Structure formats: structure tokens, C-alpha cells
């Protein structure tokens, strides 16, 4: 091969391609700091302070029963068994997904699937879903405004 072959020529480096050693140390330091903080929190049973306050003033609360399917269909009932809203497979995906989570959590403790959950809107507008049987809860805005709105309509 000739010396002009790009595969055989030595590569020129200008020193800009290397990561500065201080940056590598900073990255490892950040990871180590996070690991130390998590370990400390777990060993001292530090409460989960990032969760919103459950004692905030409640604007409205409703107990609902969610029934879903793997196809995305979902039906929401009040505690008397009256249908609040039925969702088809194209519109009930998120609510059906919540039903699958409830089914999983309740399956761990053999709790009934048809027990109600509490849907709570706080005065601040925050919307939460609580399963008192398992202790599971969801802050619904964390799943996006469109998904939270699907549950907010159940309170209206």
C-alpha cells in the first residue's frame, strides 16, 4: 500500500479529543457522592421527603373502582357499582395501565381486585390516587397532564 492510503497514515491529534482528567474525577466523584447519600438514607431509614404532603387541604375526594384489561379498555365505577365512565381501547390506556399496577400490587398480598381506591384533588390542584389496601400511591401529574386529566374528569 502507498503512504497516501488513509488507513495507514498516522492520525494527527490536536489534544482536543481527550477528556480532561479533572472532568473524569468530577464524574466519578459525583457518582460516589450519590452512592454515599443513598446508602446513608437507606441505613438511617430517612423518610421519603420528596413525596408531596398527604396532609394538605383536600378539595374533593372520591372512592372509585377501576376495572381494566390488557387491551386498554377500562371501566370506572363508584363504590355502589354505578358506572362513572367507560373507556375504549384507544382512550383507556393509562387508566387500564393503573389497573394493571393495582392488580400487581394487590396480587402481592392477595387483596381483592374490586376494592376501591381513593382519587384525591387537593386545593392546590394536585391529583393523587391512593390504594389504602397496599399503601401504593401515585401522583398523577407525574404521568403527564393528559393522563392526569383523564382522572380529573372522574371527579367532575
Amino acid at each position: 500500500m502507498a503512504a497516501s492510503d488513509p488507513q495507514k497514515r498516522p492520525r494527527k491529534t490536536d489534544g482536543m479529543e481527550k477528556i480532561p482528567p479533572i472532568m473524569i474525577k468530577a464524574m466519578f466523584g459525583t457518582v460516589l457522592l450519590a452512592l454515599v447519600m443513598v446508602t446513608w438514607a437507606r441505613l438511617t431509614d430517612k423518610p421519603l421527603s420528596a413525596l408531596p404532603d398527604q396532609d394538605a387541604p383536600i378539595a374533593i375526594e372520591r372512592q372509585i373502582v377501576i376495572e381494566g384489561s390488557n387491551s386498554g379498555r377500562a371501566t370506572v365505577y363508584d363504590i355502589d357499582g354505578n358506572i362513572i365512565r367507560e373507556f375504549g381501547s384507544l382512550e383507556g390506556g393509562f387508566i387500564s395501565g393503573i389497573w394493571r399496577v393495582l392488580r400487581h400490587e394487590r396480587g402481592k398480598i392477595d387483596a381483592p381486585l374490586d376494592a376501591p381506591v381513593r382519587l384525591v384533588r387537593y386545593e392546590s390542584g394536585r391529583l393523587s390516587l391512593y390504594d389504602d389496601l397496599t399503601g401504593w400511591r401515585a401522583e398523577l401529574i407525574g404521568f403527564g397532564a393528559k393522563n392526569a386529566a383523564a382522572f380529573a374528569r372522574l371527579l367532575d
Side-chain angles (χ1 to χ4, degrees):
M1 296 268 157
S4 63
D5 185 2
Q7 299 286 331
K8 299 290 182 182
R9 278 189 281 172
R11 189 170 157 200
K12 294 181 183 178
T13 60
D14 58 359
M16 297 300 291
E17 295 180 25
K18 292 184 178 181
I19 299 173
I22 190 74
M23 292 299 288
I24 293 173
K25 290 175 184 174
M27 289 187 310
F28 281 113
T30 303
V31 169
L32 184 61
L33 179 63
L35 183 61
V36 167
M37 289 171 53
V38 168
T39 302
W40 176 77
R42 295 299 294 164
L43 291 176
T44 61
D45 288 328
K46 184 98 173 122
L48 301 175
S49 59
L51 293 174
D53 184 16
Q54 291 181 349
D55 297 325
I58 294 174
I60 187 170
E61 179 176 335
R62 185 175 202 179
Q63 290 194 6
I64 59 172
V65 176
I66 302 172
E67 183 180 284
S69 72
N70 289 335
S71 69
R73 293 184 161 282
T75 305
V76 180
Y77 301 92
D78 64 14
I79 56 173
D80 296 323
N82 302 313
I83 294 176
I84 297 172
R85 180 99 194 264
E86 288 184 281
F87 297 92
S89 58
L90 296 178
E91 61 181 352
F94 178 64
I95 294 184
S96 182
I98 292 293
W99 170 77
R100 287 190 294 275
V101 171
L102 289 170
R103 180 181 64 184
H104 176 75
E105 292 298 318
R106 289 177 175 182
K108 291 179 186 177
I109 61 169
D110 292 326
L113 293 177
D114 60 350
V117 293
R118 290 184 300 124
L119 180 58
V120 179
R121 179 185 295 140
Y122 293 92
E123 287 181 1
S124 66
R126 183 170 53 96
L127 199 60
S128 302
L129 191 66
Y130 298 94
D131 182 12
D132 294 326
L133 290 177
T134 63
W136 179 84
R137 72 186 252 192
E139 299 300 324
L140 296 173
I141 194 62
F143 297 99
K146 184 178 175 184
N147 290 328
F151 274 96
R153 284 190 290 275
L154 299 174
L155 291 173
D156 300 332

